[in-house]
Amino acid sequence: MKRIEVKLSLSAVAPLLDIIKTAAGSLAWSLAVALPDFARDGEWRDVWARPLLESQNTGLAQLLGLFDSDFFKTGVIAFDEENATSLLRACAAVRLQVRAQFLTALPDAVMETGAVDPVTLDDGTRKALMCHLFLATMQEVIIRHLGNSILEG
């Protein structure tokens, strides 16, 4: 099984974990993406929402689990073929939530192009933007190094 280990700077990542935890916590009972119209009410909601929410929460737990006590000792997180897809989804869910909770002041065009000088932002917005970019980078690493394994599995 292919495994990727990434050594991170504790001083750079530790401040972002509060935002990740806050966003993940706010997703415990709601999906990061709205259900399709036909699945919003009644029986269909249970059929669609419950398994999606369970899967989302499993991925969020795996994402948060990367940053356990071992991480604070070594600064290392690891991805493998078993957790890659779940982590990709969890990163996407947290990024969507960070965008909705903390980055509403930034226009979509700025978020898509990255054309913002972080120095011009207040501390909270800058930290949220760095968190958003960090999670995007995690997704890129997973896709770059485990993408073929995910597609084949």
Side-chain angles (χ1 to χ4, degrees):
M1 175 186 315
K2 193 170 186 183
R3 177 179 166 92
I4 305 299
E5 291 186 355
V6 180
K7 177 126 173 106
L8 302 170
S9 166
L10 286 171
S11 62
V13 175
L16 307 179
L17 295 179
D18 288 337
I19 294 172
I20 292 172
K21 289 177 186 175
T22 298
S26 65
L27 290 169
W29 304 106
S30 64
L31 293 170
V33 178
L35 290 172
D37 289 338
F38 73 86
R40 290 189 184 172
D41 293 315
E43 193 175 302
W44 282 107
R45 179 169 173 68
D46 289 340
V47 169
W48 278 74
R50 187 174 300 132
L52 290 174
L53 190 57
E54 287 172 6
S55 176
Q56 177 179 281
N57 286 335
T58 297
L60 293 171
Q62 287 178 331
L63 176 62
L64 293 173
L66 293 176
F67 305 101
D68 59 6
S69 59
D70 287 341
F71 168 73
F72 285 98
K73 291 175 191 169
T74 65
V76 174
I77 59 174
F79 315 114
D80 59 38
E81 295 166 352
E82 288 183 20
N83 68 8
T85 301
S86 187
L87 288 172
L88 283 172
R89 290 180 184 146
C91 286
V94 172
R95 288 179 68 207
L96 287 168
Q97 194 66 14
V98 166
R99 174 77 170 115
Q101 278 187 278
F102 304 109
L103 297 173
T104 56
L106 298 178
D108 288 340
V110 168
M111 293 297 297
E112 291 168 7
T113 63
V116 63
D117 182 2
V119 176
T120 64
L121 304 173
D122 64 78
D123 286 342
T125 304
R126 180 176 34 256
K127 198 170 167 183
L129 180 61
M130 293 300 110
C131 178
H132 194 274
L133 295 172
F134 168 67
L135 292 169
T137 303
M138 278 182 56
Q139 288 177 300
E140 288 177 22
V141 168
I142 293 168
I143 291 167
R144 181 175 301 132
H145 295 285
L146 297 171
N148 289 337
S149 301
I150 296 168
L151 293 174
E152 292 168 2

